[in-house]
Amino acid sequence: MLNAIKSYKASPFSFLAIAGAVMAFTFSAWNALLNNFAIEAANFNGANIGMLQSLREIPGFLAFTAVFVLLVLKEQTFALISLALLVIGVALTGLFPTVYGLYATTVLMSIGFHYYETINQSLSLQWFSKDEAPEKLGKLMSIKSIASLCAFAIIWFLFTFMATSYQFVYLFVGSIGLLATVWLWLSHPSFQQHTSQHKKLILRKEYTLFYLLTFFSGARRQIFMVFAGFLMVEKFGYGVAEISALYMLNHLLNIFIAPKIGKMIGKIGEQRALSIEYIGLIFVFIGYAIVESATGAAVLYVIDHIFFAMAIAIKTYFQKIARPEDIAATAGVSFTINHIAAVIIPASFGLVWLYDNSLVFYFGAVLAFCSLVLSQFINPHLAKQRLANNPA
């Protein structure tokens, strides 16, 4: 075992790929089971699921504190610790099938998830050059989709052909994730960073457009993550096997589409890619509001998932405008900005959901339109940045 670990050819890309696969595998399993587990085992209603999702996003709102943890830990070490917290939280979920039990395990899982995602974004933008970043980020997204597909396939098989329980599946998936995290720690050395990172909070005027795009992305993403899946279960009666099959289809498509989207962003630029995404999402959210067919809702869900892959462009836009030493600190700040609305929207819109669920999705269309307007300033900003860097 140790000889196999020592002979393994490790690289920064392989570290991010394996860590991303572990995150995607465990979180996807948690998310695929969540709505059914919450309704069937913990007796959740719309207000409860909204509150749970708001609690889940509080660690994301506090992601800026990652910069203070980096005073005592290297980013790579912090990523591994965060990954361990995530998989342990997933493993424990099924053991506490109550409202407050699910709240508690969700917060534990979320602390690991959001700190990991913060550091993952920082490391990927530091380890990849500006030219290769779009394509490599697309490949990493494809690898995550493969891991998610494996998780959904396991869940679909267990709930379709075997008399299994939520407790067993959560514990099984979390245990696999923990073993993989330990192997990742043993098999990869500490990689050098090219630029020393700031260990303080960074807010710069020239990053304002990035902050705004991040804010609206976070708000919009919550409506998709929280309420689109809940719509499938509550309104159209999707079971665990059907939800898992839908997720499998999403990620099967993403395996092939995400790398192509990464290449496309490199060719057409961030502004055009994000414009395509936001125009598409306006129509998708309106579709959610008026759909009356379970099949139609599933089609919207798949299209929605594909469009979100284009969010790579926000990261590559930031990489182009960022000072190299700002990346780690700004990654934490951007995650906090991403989650300002995310802390508020699930709980408040959970109450709106009880009155009229279509209003939730109409608001999502408004958010997508705001993002579309903001995205039109990307090219002028990049041109201004290039002129400032090359005044001659």
Side-chain angles (χ1 to χ4, degrees):
M1 172 70 174
L2 288 176
N3 288 334
I5 291 173
K6 290 177 181 177
S7 63
Y8 174 76
K9 188 176 181 180
S11 68
F13 182 84
S14 68
F15 178 89
L16 292 174
I18 296 168
V22 173
M23 182 280 294
F25 178 78
T26 52
F27 179 76
S28 294
W30 179 88
N31 194 48
L33 295 175
L34 176 63
N35 287 314
N36 294 87
F37 178 67
I39 291 171
E40 296 171 19
N43 299 314
F44 269 44
N45 58 29
N48 294 140
I49 198 71
M51 178 59 70
L52 180 137
Q53 295 290 359
S54 285
L55 289 171
R56 183 174 74 86
E57 299 302 346
I58 289 175
F61 179 73
L62 298 175
F64 70 91
T65 59
V67 71
F68 303 120
V69 179
L70 295 179
L71 291 170
V72 294
L73 289 176
K74 292 182 178 180
E75 285 186 79
Q76 196 172 333
T77 303
F78 190 18
L80 288 167
I81 293 172
S82 300
L83 201 57
L85 289 176
L86 163 62
V87 299
I88 290 170
V90 170
L92 295 176
T93 298
L95 302 179
F96 299 93
T98 64
V99 171
Y100 292 107
L102 188 51
Y103 286 170
T105 55
T106 295
V107 170
L108 175 62
M109 178 278 300
S110 182
I111 290 171
F113 174 84
H114 285 99
Y115 275 140
Y116 167 76
E117 283 291 279
T118 300
I119 301 303
N120 173 64
Q121 177 174 307
S122 172
L123 290 176
S124 61
L125 295 182
Q126 290 178 67
W127 285 345
F128 303 151
S129 70
K130 293 178 183 179
D131 291 335
E132 67 183 358
E135 186 173 353
K136 286 203 170 183
L137 289 174
K139 288 180 179 178
L140 288 175
M141 186 172 286
S142 177
I143 290 168
K144 289 178 183 178
S145 290
I146 293 172
S148 296
L149 186 62
C150 291
F152 298 139
I154 289 171
I155 291 170
W156 178 82
F157 176 80
L158 290 175
F159 278 90
T160 302
F161 298 107
M162 299 181 68
T164 191
S165 66
Y166 291 109
Q167 290 84 353
F168 170 78
V169 176
Y170 275 123
L171 189 60
F172 175 70
V173 169
S175 298
I176 291 175
L178 186 59
L179 289 173
T181 301
V182 172
W183 181 82
L184 183 62
W185 169 59
L186 293 173
S187 61
H188 284 70
S190 180
F191 298 109
Q192 294 296 315
Q193 293 171 243
H194 300 299
T195 305
S196 179
Q197 296 293 299
H198 285 304
K199 302 299 190 297
K200 60 182 179 181
L201 295 179
I202 299 293
L203 284 169
R204 298 196 190 278
K205 184 179 179 180
E206 60 260 39
Y207 301 161
T208 300
L209 181 56
F210 168 69
Y211 297 149
L212 290 171
L213 287 168
T214 299
F215 172 79
F216 280 100
S217 176
R220 193 178 61 252
R221 180 76 172 169
Q222 286 310 302
I223 294 176
F224 169 72
M225 289 290 293
V226 178
F227 296 107
F230 200 70
L231 181 77
M232 301 295 180
V233 176
E234 186 180 72
K235 184 174 181 177
F236 297 111
Y238 276 56
V240 171
E242 292 168 310
I243 287 289
S244 297
L246 183 60
Y247 287 172
M248 286 166 63
L249 176 59
N250 275 346
H251 288 280
L252 184 63
L253 292 173
N254 220 30
I255 290 170
F256 303 101
I257 292 174
K260 295 183 184 300
I261 287 176
K263 288 183 179 180
M264 181 189 74
I265 293 169
K267 290 180 180 179
I268 70 173
E270 287 79 9
Q271 179 170 309
R272 290 180 65 186
L274 289 175
S275 296
I276 292 169
E277 177 191 357
Y278 299 145
I279 290 170
L281 288 177
I282 290 170
F283 289 103
V284 167
F285 279 122
I286 292 173
Y288 280 136
I290 63 177
V291 69
E292 292 297 333
S293 160
T295 302
V299 171
L300 289 170
Y301 197 83
V302 172
I303 295 172
D304 200 346
H305 190 83
I306 292 171
F307 275 129
F308 272 117
M310 292 185 178
I312 291 172
I314 297 179
K315 295 180 181 180
T316 57
Y317 161 63
F318 171 66
Q319 188 185 37
K320 289 179 179 179
I321 65 171
R323 304 179 190 181
E325 66 273 15
D326 289 353
I327 290 177
T330 307
V333 171
S334 70
F335 259 78
T336 293
I337 292 171
N338 183 279
H339 288 80
I340 292 173
V343 171
I344 301 169
I345 283 178
S348 59
F349 275 62
L351 298 176
V352 174
W353 182 273
L354 298 178
Y355 172 72
D356 185 350
N357 59 40
S358 66
L359 294 177
V360 173
F361 297 115
Y362 282 128
F363 185 73
V366 172
L367 292 174
F369 177 77
C370 292
S371 296
L372 176 62
V373 173
L374 288 169
S375 68
Q376 304 313 299
F377 295 93
I378 289 177
N379 283 349
H381 188 214
L382 289 173
K384 182 180 178 181
Q385 194 85 0
R386 284 193 293 268
L387 184 62
N389 293 335
N390 302 286

